[in-house]
């Protein structure tokens, strides 16, 4: 996913937001169940005599994909410093440009004042991460 942005002189990491393995697998399980039900219903609607194939195929496909990309997804660490939010692949958000941070299905959606959006995925407590980021942005705006 590329390298993280380097720290500036005098910049300190305040907190890291690492993906949670349990949240990762739970998100994929939920996706597999929902898509499996949907696939089974479509096969029923089409009159397929074996609608159970839909849920089984959905679970297998999502499970294989989840296993294949797990190491990459679980390596995406976001760092909050005293000046910026640093993400994977060199993403950088100055705290003065931090607009909103909201929990979103096990993740946190960060929107900057410029309208850019970033997703901090697979957090064990997305509400706490969003609150922490909102506070950091408010402090920077008043700083």
């Amino acid at each position: 996913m590329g390298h993280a942005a380097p720290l500036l002189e005098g910049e300190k990491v305040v907190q890291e937001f690492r993906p949670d393995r349990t949240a990762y697998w739970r998100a994929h399980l939920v996706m597999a169940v929902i898509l499996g039900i949907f696939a089974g219903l479509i096969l029923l609607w089409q009159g397929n005599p074996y609608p159970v194939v839909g849920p089984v195929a959905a679970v297998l496909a999502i499970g294989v994909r989840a296993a294949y990309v797990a190491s990459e997804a679980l390596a995406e660490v976001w760092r909050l410093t005293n000046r910026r939010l640093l993400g994977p692949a060199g993403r950088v958000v100055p705290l003065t440009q931090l607009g909103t941070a909201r929990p979103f299905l096990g993740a946190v959606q960060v929107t900057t004042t410029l309208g850019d959006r970033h997703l901090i995925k697979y957090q064990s407590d997305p509400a706490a991460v969003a609150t922490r980021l909102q506070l950091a942005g408010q402090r920077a705006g008043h700083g």
Side-chain angles (χ1 to χ4, degrees), residues 1-2 4 16-20 24 65 69-79 86-89 91 107 118-123:
M1 283 305 299
E16 287 189 345
F17 304 109
R18 296 183 173 280
D20 180 68
Y24 176 81
R65 182 202 173 274
V69 299
S71 61
E72 185 177 316
L74 294 172
E76 289 190 357
V77 177
W78 286 77
R79 298 182 297 163
L86 307 174
R91 293 182 204 126
H118 305 281
L119 203 57
I120 302 174
K121 300 178 194 173
Y122 312 118
Q123 297 299 298

Side-chain angles (χ1 to χ4, degrees), residues 6-68:
L7 295 177
L8 301 174
E9 188 172 324
E11 189 173 25
K12 295 179 281 185
V13 174
V14 177
Q15 190 168 358
E16 287 189 345
F17 304 109
R18 296 183 173 280
D20 180 68
R21 186 172 296 280
T22 302
Y24 176 81
W25 287 106
R26 182 177 35 242
H28 284 82
L29 177 64
V30 168
M31 192 174 7
V33 169
I34 291 170
L35 292 176
I37 290 169
F38 184 68
L41 290 173
I42 287 178
L43 291 176
L44 275 174
W45 177 69
Q46 292 178 337
N48 189 307
Y50 306 104
V52 73
V53 170
V56 171
V59 168
L60 286 174
I62 291 169
V64 167
R65 182 202 173 274
Y68 183 73

